[in-house]
């Protein structure tokens, strides 16, 4: 233990009782030790500072740098300081686990067989290292994609909480008995992933949770009308045995979904809840900047009396939509009487057909499930009444892929601003170039952006791959869709330093001072 200044006072003999050393053996066999009493001594100092500050003048400073064991080899071992400096918390492109393949002419690793269709979002997400195929219809979600998904879930949570939603989590493993009671065990057919435990009991991996949530509410037994409407939702993995998984995250066997279930006192109240959820979906898609259309839809095997889909118009969409140019009517073509050419609402003959990607679905269920599972509440007269239900889904991973599909170009991702994994990418000069000395300025800028602008904390990355030219790194950054790219180049060496700033969403290039850059990025909204 190395000490500076005065010796430890004799009236503190208990400090000398701390004689524990931590031995660390390096891979090369060198033995070093770190005096654990140094750590405890620091702790004692903090305690004394608050209790007996006058004693601190007698306390020596303690160096926590370890010494090499005398019996070890001559090599020196260093144990890092525990204090995190800026460069350790700095996000570096070279350290990100994002095995992208952005160079032209290389295999993208598409999981499709020859001749099978792919789509823009699938190619871009594979190329950018956002997803990696696992098996047909299933993917690894890599860190950049997870960051985007987590942001999307936070937005969904905001909107669901705003209308009174309460978040829970239900098991993916669902008992067959529940599905048999609702008569959907056979109705769902091969779409269900079915399995059997060692005792012979049958289960399925939940594609949806109407049975489970209704059984949960019914089991409470004491629900009062004062507690309604009750809106319970989750964001979890779902499973469907798709016969032909395709288009990456747009049609898979395992995916993330937000599903909400409502319980109301009457049909009128249930319709009010239905309207409130549809309005929440509208706000969500507007915040994302996604051009959606809400269409009349079939209730399918979920059932109920009323249903709407939220569709993003896209050429690769698997749903065929009809939209009236004379009124606000829009519908999934499967709900229109075969052969009908006019609008059923206004009888206008201006129906136009398009394709869409379904990203949300709402259902008014009535008492279809609550009656079967006896999900009741007690009314004002203290009599049990069967609750009116609704269910409301959002395809979380599908929204992410569909947004990339409709907003991006063929060779560059364009994110909804709020979902971009990182908001800013800073490009320092190439190693060995005439402006190489500006590398430190780029690092300082990266640190200052994250420290000075709270909304950008954890949102700024430094592309430290300085063995590549700025041009190559800039092209990579544009393909990965960072909303803002800041180039530290020749203009930063001028008497009035300027930074080149590229805005992905507008395509604009600006040269801004540090103050101007701070002002621009200070207006960036994050979640």
């Amino acid at each position: 233990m190395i000490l500076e200044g005065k010796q430890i006072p004799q009236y503190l003999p208990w400090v000398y009782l701390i004689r524990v050393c931590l031995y660390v053996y390096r891979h090369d066999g060198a033995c070093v030790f770190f005096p654990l009493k140094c750590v405890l001594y620091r702790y004692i100092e903090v305690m004394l500072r608050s209790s007996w500050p006058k004693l601190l003048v007698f306390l020596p400073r303690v160096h926590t740098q370890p010494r090499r064991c005398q019996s070890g080899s001559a090599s020196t071992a260093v144990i890092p300081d525990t204090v995190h400096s800026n460069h350790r918390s700095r996000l570096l492109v070279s350290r990100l686990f994002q095995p992208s393949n952005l160079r032209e002419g290389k295999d993208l690793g598409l999981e499709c067989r020859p001749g099978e269709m792919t789509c823009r979002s699938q190619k871009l997400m594979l190329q950018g290292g956002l997803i990696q195929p696992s098996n047909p219809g299933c993917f690894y979600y890599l860190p950049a994609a997870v960051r985007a998904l987590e942001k999307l879930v936070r937005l969904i949570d905001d909107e669901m909480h705003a209308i009174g939603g309460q978040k829970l989590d239900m098991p993916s493993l669902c008992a067959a008995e529940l599905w048999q009671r609702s008569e959907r065990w056979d109705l769902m057919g091969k779409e269900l992933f079915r399995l059997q435990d060692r005792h012979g009991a049958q289960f399925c991996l939940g594609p949806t949770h109407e049975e489970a949530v209704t059984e949960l509410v019914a089991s409470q037994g004491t629900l009062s009308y004062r507690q309604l409407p009750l809106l319970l939702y989750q964001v979890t993995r779902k499973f469907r045995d798709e016969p032909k998984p395709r288009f990456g995250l747009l049609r898979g066997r395992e995916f993330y979904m937000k599903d909400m279930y409502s319980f109301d006192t009457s049909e009128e109240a249930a319709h009010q809840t239905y309207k409130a959820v549809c309005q929440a979906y509208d706000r969500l898609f507007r915040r994302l900047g996604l051009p959606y259309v809400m269409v009349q839809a079939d209730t399918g095997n979920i059932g109920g009396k009323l249903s709407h889909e939220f569709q993003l118009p896209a050429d690769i969409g698997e749903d065929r939509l009809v939209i009236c140019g004379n009124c606000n009517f829009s519908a999934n073509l499967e709900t229109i009487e075969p052969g009908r050419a006019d609008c059923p609402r206004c009888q206008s003959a201006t129906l136009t057909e398009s394709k869409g990607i379904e990203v949300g679905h709402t259902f008014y269920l009535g008492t279809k499930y609550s009656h079967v599972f006896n999900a009741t509440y007690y009314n004002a007269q203290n009599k049990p009444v069967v609750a009116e239900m609704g269910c409301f889904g959002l395809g979380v991973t599908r929204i992410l892929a569909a947004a990339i599909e409709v907003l991006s170009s063929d060779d560059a991702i364009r994110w909804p601003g709020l979902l971009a994994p990182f908001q800013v990418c800073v490009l320092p000069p190439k190693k060995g170039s005439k402006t190489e000395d500006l590398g430190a300025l780029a690092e300082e800028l990266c640190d200052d952006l994250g420290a000075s602008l709270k909304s950008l904390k954890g949102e700024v990355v430094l592309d430290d791959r300085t063995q590549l030219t700025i041009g190559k790194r800039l092209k990579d950054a544009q393909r990965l869709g960072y909303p803002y790219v800041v180039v530290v180049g020749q203009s930063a060496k001028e008497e009035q330093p300027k930074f080149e700033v590229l805005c992905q969403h507008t395509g604009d290039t600006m040269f801004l001072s540090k103050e101007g850059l701070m002002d621009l990025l200070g207006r960036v909204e994050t979640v």
Side-chain angles (χ1 to χ4, degrees):
M1 181 175 184
I2 306 170
L3 302 178
E4 282 183 354
K6 302 173 184 179
Q7 296 297 317
I8 299 177
Q10 295 300 313
Y11 52 81
L12 291 178
W14 39 273
V15 175
Y16 285 99
L17 295 178
I18 305 170
R19 298 292 185 185
V20 182
C21 292
L22 176 66
Y23 284 84
V24 181
Y25 290 89
R26 300 194 325 180
H27 68 280
D28 59 0
C31 172
V32 297
F33 71 91
F34 180 83
L36 190 57
K37 60 185 177 182
C38 295
V39 180
L40 297 178
Y41 190 80
R42 293 287 195 194
Y43 175 72
I44 293 167
E45 180 182 353
V46 172
M47 293 181 63
L48 289 177
R49 188 181 298 278
S50 60
S51 302
W52 302 291
K54 290 183 179 181
L55 290 179
L56 291 177
V57 298
F58 297 102
L59 293 178
R61 289 185 60 192
V62 179
H63 287 289
T64 55
Q65 182 166 339
R67 291 182 301 171
R68 179 171 50 86
C69 178
Q70 298 300 319
S71 61
S73 68
S75 61
T76 303
V78 177
I79 295 180
D81 191 350
T82 57
V83 179
H84 289 283
S85 61
N86 282 340
H87 75 274
R88 290 182 187 172
S89 59
R90 191 180 298 143
L91 292 168
L92 305 175
V93 169
S94 66
R95 298 294 304 278
L96 299 179
F97 183 66
Q98 191 172 1
S100 57
N101 187 349
L102 298 171
R103 304 277 80 84
E104 295 90 349
K106 292 189 177 180
D107 180 24
L108 296 179
L110 296 176
E111 82 281 14
C112 301
R113 296 186 181 93
E116 290 188 5
M117 293 180 64
T118 60
C119 63
R120 177 189 298 145
S121 60
Q122 182 181 10
K123 291 178 180 177
L124 290 173
M125 296 183 82
L126 287 166
Q127 185 182 60
L130 301 173
I131 58 174
Q132 183 73 23
S134 171
N135 50 69
C138 300
F139 292 86
Y140 296 99
Y141 301 98
L142 302 181
V146 171
R147 282 181 63 91
L149 286 172
E150 287 175 343
K151 291 179 179 184
L152 177 54
V153 171
R154 286 198 289 271
L155 286 172
I156 292 172
D157 285 340
D158 283 348
E159 297 299 340
M160 295 303 100
H161 293 162
I163 59 174
Q166 301 179 62
K167 197 172 188 177
L168 45 63
D169 195 0
M170 291 180 278
S172 294
L173 199 60
C174 302
E177 186 269 335
L178 294 180
W179 286 70
Q180 289 165 348
R181 285 172 63 183
S182 68
E183 299 182 350
R184 289 210 297 169
W185 183 256
D186 295 324
L187 181 63
M188 294 289 286
K190 294 182 178 180
E191 187 174 324
L192 282 182
F193 275 109
R194 305 166 195 257
L195 61 158
Q196 185 172 299
D197 71 9
R198 68 184 66 193
H199 306 293
Q202 291 185 304
F203 297 86
C204 68
L205 295 176
T208 184
H209 278 72
E210 284 79 12
E211 288 83 358
V213 74
T214 313
E215 171 70 10
L216 172 66
V217 171
S219 69
Q220 304 309 300
T222 57
L223 201 63
S224 166
Y225 72 96
R226 295 186 179 89
Q227 296 172 264
L228 304 183
L230 180 63
L231 287 80
L232 303 176
Y233 81 99
Q234 63 178 351
V235 178
T236 189
R237 288 179 184 262
K238 301 287 189 179
F239 304 86
R240 290 178 185 167
D241 193 357
E242 291 285 349
K244 292 183 179 180
R246 57 192 178 277
F247 296 144
L249 301 188
L250 294 179
R251 178 64 68 181
R253 290 179 170 178
E254 182 180 10
F255 50 91
Y256 279 97
M257 180 177 171
K258 187 283 304 180
D259 46 326
M260 173 180 273
Y261 306 91
S262 63
F263 297 82
D264 277 281
T265 57
S266 66
E267 183 172 343
E268 181 182 0
H271 279 284
Q272 289 297 320
T273 296
Y274 189 95
K275 182 179 179 181
V277 177
C278 289
Q279 290 173 342
Y281 282 14
D282 172 77
R283 290 192 298 271
L284 173 69
F285 291 121
R286 288 182 184 274
R287 290 176 72 180
L288 293 173
L290 296 177
Y292 81 94
V293 58
M294 178 178 170
V295 303
Q296 172 184 295
D298 186 13
T299 58
N301 54 37
I302 288 180
K305 304 177 181 179
L306 177 68
S307 177
H308 287 88
E309 293 169 345
F310 290 76
Q311 298 270 355
L312 296 188
D315 291 338
I316 67 155
E318 298 180 276
D319 291 300
R320 296 171 62 192
L321 316 176
V322 289
I323 301 173
C324 179
N326 189 51
C327 65
N328 293 326
F329 178 81
S330 55
N332 192 309
L333 187 62
E334 65 186 7
T335 67
I336 302 297
E337 181 182 348
R340 181 163 191 165
D342 63 335
C343 176
R345 180 180 295 173
C346 67
Q347 283 72 53
S348 169
T350 58
L351 285 177
T352 58
E353 187 173 328
S354 64
K355 294 181 179 180
I357 302 171
E358 180 191 337
V359 290
H361 208 151
T362 57
F363 300 84
Y364 164 54
L365 300 173
T367 60
K368 173 179 170 66
Y369 296 92
S370 53
H371 175 75
V372 171
F373 292 96
N374 197 32
T376 61
Y377 68 94
Y378 285 91
N379 64 13
Q381 290 73 43
N382 203 33
K383 293 183 178 179
V385 180
V386 176
E388 295 278 337
M389 289 181 60
C391 71
F392 313 90
L394 284 174
V396 180
T397 43
R398 185 178 286 187
I399 289 174
L400 187 69
I404 293 174
E405 184 70 34
V406 301
L407 297 180
S408 303
S409 65
D410 287 338
D411 59 357
I413 294 175
R414 181 179 173 186
W415 298 94
L418 292 173
L419 300 189
F422 300 99
Q423 291 292 330
V424 183
C425 181
V426 177
L427 303 184
K430 184 180 186 297
K431 186 177 181 180
S433 68
K434 294 180 181 180
T435 54
E436 179 181 9
D437 59 326
L438 293 175
L441 178 61
E443 294 175 355
E444 178 185 343
L445 176 65
C446 187
D447 296 336
D448 287 349
L449 289 174
S452 302
L453 304 176
K454 291 183 179 179
S455 63
L456 292 186
K457 184 177 181 180
E459 293 287 339
V460 182
V461 295
L462 180 73
D463 193 339
D464 59 328
R465 301 173 300 160
T466 53
Q467 75 278 10
L468 300 177
T469 65
I470 282 185
K472 289 183 178 179
R473 284 177 287 152
L474 181 58
K475 193 170 185 179
D476 286 354
Q478 291 174 325
R479 286 180 170 181
L480 292 171
Y482 299 105
Y484 296 92
V485 180
V486 181
V487 180
V488 181
Q490 185 63 41
S491 60
K493 298 192 77 169
E494 298 174 1
E495 185 177 351
Q496 297 288 335
K498 296 290 181 67
F499 300 100
E500 184 180 356
V501 184
L502 293 89
C503 178
Q504 178 84 339
H505 287 274
T506 63
D508 294 337
T509 298
M510 301 164 280
F511 287 87
L512 301 175
S513 65
K514 185 173 182 180
E515 293 73 19
L517 178 62
M518 288 287 188
D519 181 64
L520 172 68
L521 298 181
R523 298 193 294 268
V524 174
E525 183 183 358
T526 56
V527 291

